[in-house]
């Protein structure tokens, strides 16, 4: 900095003059000061906040696969990381308890068939006047009871894990089997395996955790003093990726441990660059409703709490006040009376500020 001030002293009598908002300086002296020119870039998005976040799975897209029957695991068909389709076989269990449910179902089905035959016979006899209406009513009531029992027995098999096709095949063949196939309730990815082949398990024991990763959530910790700057619909960028998300929810309570609020953003499309459970750094972006421009941080000079840039003119530089509305890495987002066609000083603003304020001005 002392070198720059000494250089300015040497130029003080060599064509450098400063008015209130204009610095008159010849081109050769601009070169000596190391000033380089560039144009402000139009910016449609304004970085509002940098914040840590965790990638989470929406609860409705995660499922624990468990068995409704106790038994012995004979086969496991999938492993952690495998993609599965809805209805795909996951495991096979040998369950003696399943035999009892199948026997109960077959008994109910056979009684229903017999009850249907008796009901149809008595219905015909009633039409011919052979039997009384009372007897027909009793037959119909018994037939409805058989229907209820068969429906209940079928539901128990479905709850045990048998598919519709397997139950229909059982009713047709009348052949019992103690082997139960557990199937995926949804399409997704296996995140966790909780049992092993050869293991005996109780009913409702968990075997797999499966999740649909086509949609993920970003759970962002927002400092409570900044929550007013964040809005539903704001865009969120994840550092070192091209992944974007949108704010869908702002929390209504403050975490007492770190005094932050939860903001949730939705990630669509299962991008490969992020994983569930991952901790990431994020940038929250606002869309700008007025003309904004991106300039290097080195183009901005500060004085008495205000920001300025230096616009090249025929005589030197115009000192233009601007408002910094966001920062992103080595750049700042500004607004002001700009068109984007101006040539501005992107380096050397320190020397130009010294000229503008006078050699005794603060840096």
């Amino acid at each position: 900095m002392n070198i720059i001030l000494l250089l300015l002293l040497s130029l003080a009598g060599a064509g450098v003059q400063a008015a209130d908002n204009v610095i008159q300086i010849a081109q050769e002296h601009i070169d000596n000061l190391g000033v380089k020119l560039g144009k402000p870039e139009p910016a449609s998005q304004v970085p509002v906040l940098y914040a840590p976040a965790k990638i989470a799975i929406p609860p409705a897209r995660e499922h624990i696969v468990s068995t409704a029957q106790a038994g012995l695991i004979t086969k496991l068909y999938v492993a952690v990381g495998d993609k599965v389709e809805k209805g795909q076989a996951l495991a096979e269990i040998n369950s003696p308890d399943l035999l009892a449910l199948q026997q109960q179902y077959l008994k109910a089905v056979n009684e229903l068939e017999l009850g249907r035959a008796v009901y149809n016979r008595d219905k015909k006899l009633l039409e011919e006047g052979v039997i009384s209406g009372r007897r027909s009513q009793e037959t119909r009531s018994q037939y409805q009871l058989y229907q209820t029992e068969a429906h209940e027995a079928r539901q128990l098999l479905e709850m045990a894990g048998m598919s519709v096709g397997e139950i229909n095949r059982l009713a047709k063949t009348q052949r019992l089997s103690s082997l139960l196939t557990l199937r995926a309730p949804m399409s997704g990815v296996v995140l966790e395996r909780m049992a092993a082949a050869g293991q005996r398990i109780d009913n409702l024991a968990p075997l797999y955790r499966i999740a649909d990763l086509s949609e993920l959530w970003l759970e962002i910790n927002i400092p409570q003093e900044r929550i007013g700057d964040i809005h539903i619909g704001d865009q969120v960028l994840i550092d070192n990726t091209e992944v974007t998300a949108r704010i869908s929810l702002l929390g209504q309570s403050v975490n007492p441990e770190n005094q932050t609020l939860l903001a949730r953003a939705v990630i669509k499309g299962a991008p490969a660059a992020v994983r569930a459970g991952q901790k990431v750094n994020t940038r929250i972006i606002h869309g700008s409703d007025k003309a904004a421009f991106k300039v290097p941080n080195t183009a901005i000079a500060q004085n008495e709490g205000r920001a300025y840039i230096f616009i090249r003119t025929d005589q030197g530089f115009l000192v233009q006040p601007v408002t910094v509305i966001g920062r992103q890495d080595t750049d700042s987002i500004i607004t002001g009376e700009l068109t984007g066609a101006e040539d501005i000083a992107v380096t050397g603003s320190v020397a130009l500020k010294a000229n503008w304020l006078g050699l005794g001005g603060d840096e």
Side-chain angles (χ1 to χ4, degrees):
M1 191 61 64
N2 290 335
I3 295 175
I4 294 176
L5 292 177
L6 289 173
L7 180 59
L8 292 173
L9 283 170
S10 66
L11 297 175
V16 179
Q17 300 179 1
D20 288 343
N21 64 340
V22 175
I23 303 171
Q24 296 183 1
I25 182 171
Q27 180 61 50
E28 60 269 24
H29 303 311
I30 294 176
D31 297 335
N32 292 335
L33 292 175
V35 175
K36 293 184 180 180
L37 302 180
K39 293 186 180 296
E41 299 179 18
S44 59
Q45 298 177 332
V46 181
V48 176
L49 179 67
Y50 290 77
K54 183 178 72 173
I55 297 174
I57 301 171
R61 294 176 177 267
E62 187 174 10
H63 195 96
I64 299 296
V65 180
S66 60
T67 174
Q69 298 296 311
L72 176 70
I73 300 175
T74 58
K75 292 180 182 179
L76 293 175
Y77 295 112
V78 296
V80 173
D82 288 349
K83 292 183 178 180
V84 296
E85 299 295 330
K86 183 177 181 179
Q88 179 177 334
L90 302 179
E92 184 180 81
I93 297 174
N94 191 335
S95 174
D97 293 343
L98 184 63
L99 294 176
L101 293 178
Q102 291 176 352
Q103 288 176 335
Q104 180 181 342
Y105 173 67
L106 291 180
K107 178 183 178 182
V109 168
N110 292 332
E111 289 178 344
L112 177 61
E113 290 298 321
L114 179 61
R116 181 182 293 111
V118 173
Y119 170 69
N120 289 335
R121 184 200 64 188
D122 283 4
K123 183 179 179 182
K124 184 176 181 181
L125 292 176
L126 178 64
E127 293 173 351
E128 295 174 352
V130 178
I131 63 173
S132 66
R134 178 183 178 85
R135 175 175 167 179
S136 176
Q137 178 66 36
E138 291 174 350
T139 302
R140 182 167 65 248
S141 297
Q142 185 63 43
Y143 174 53
Q144 290 174 341
L145 177 61
Y146 288 148
Q147 285 181 315
T148 300
E149 291 176 346
H151 181 67
E152 178 183 350
R154 186 182 182 94
Q155 282 188 315
L156 289 175
L157 287 179
E158 291 177 352
M159 293 171 61
M162 291 187 65
S163 67
V164 173
E166 290 170 337
I167 295 174
N168 291 339
R169 187 160 53 251
L170 171 65
K172 183 178 180 180
T173 64
Q174 303 279 302
R175 296 181 61 181
L176 305 181
S177 174
S178 63
L179 296 179
L180 175 64
T181 300
L182 293 186
R183 301 184 181 276
M186 61 190 296
S187 297
V189 176
V190 178
L191 299 182
E192 186 178 358
R193 191 189 75 181
M194 308 172 188
Q199 178 181 343
R200 290 191 175 276
I201 56 174
D202 297 326
N203 60 323
L204 301 181
L207 271 71
Y208 288 105
R209 183 164 68 99
I210 298 176
D212 175 7
L213 303 181
S214 60
E215 178 180 303
L216 295 171
W217 285 351
L218 267 178
E219 296 181 344
I220 309 170
N221 296 318
I222 306 295
Q224 63 171 347
E225 64 272 12
R226 297 297 304 277
I227 195 64
D229 299 331
I230 310 303
H231 307 290
I232 299 293
D234 282 350
Q235 187 179 37
V236 182
L237 307 180
I238 299 178
D239 284 358
N240 303 317
T241 74
E242 296 182 357
V243 178
T244 63
R246 294 282 179 183
I247 297 288
S248 63
L249 176 140
L250 295 176
Q252 299 300 311
S253 61
V254 176
N255 185 331
E257 295 183 1
N258 55 20
Q259 292 299 294
T260 62
L261 287 85
L262 171 69
R264 180 186 301 154
V266 178
I267 305 172
K268 298 285 189 179
V274 295
R275 296 288 187 273
Q278 184 178 358
K279 292 184 178 181
V280 296
N281 293 318
T282 64
R283 288 175 289 166
I284 301 177
I285 306 294
H286 274 178
S288 178
D289 56 359
K290 54 185 175 180
F293 300 90
K294 182 170 70 173
V295 300
N297 292 336
T298 54
I300 299 175
Q302 300 286 340
N303 183 48
E304 296 182 352
R306 298 196 61 184
Y308 299 86
I309 62 173
F310 302 97
I311 300 175
R312 184 72 167 99
T313 65
D314 292 340
Q315 292 76 33
F317 287 91
L318 173 68
V319 182
Q320 177 67 48
V322 295
T323 301
V324 178
I325 59 175
R327 296 189 184 277
Q328 184 175 356
D329 300 327
T330 59
D331 297 316
S332 295
I333 309 299
I334 63 172
T335 59
E337 297 181 6
L338 299 171
T339 65
E342 298 88 352
D343 288 319
I344 67 171
V346 295
T347 62
S349 62
V350 172
L352 292 175
K353 174 184 174 181
N355 274 281
W356 173 43
L357 297 178
L359 295 179
D362 289 338
E363 184 46 59

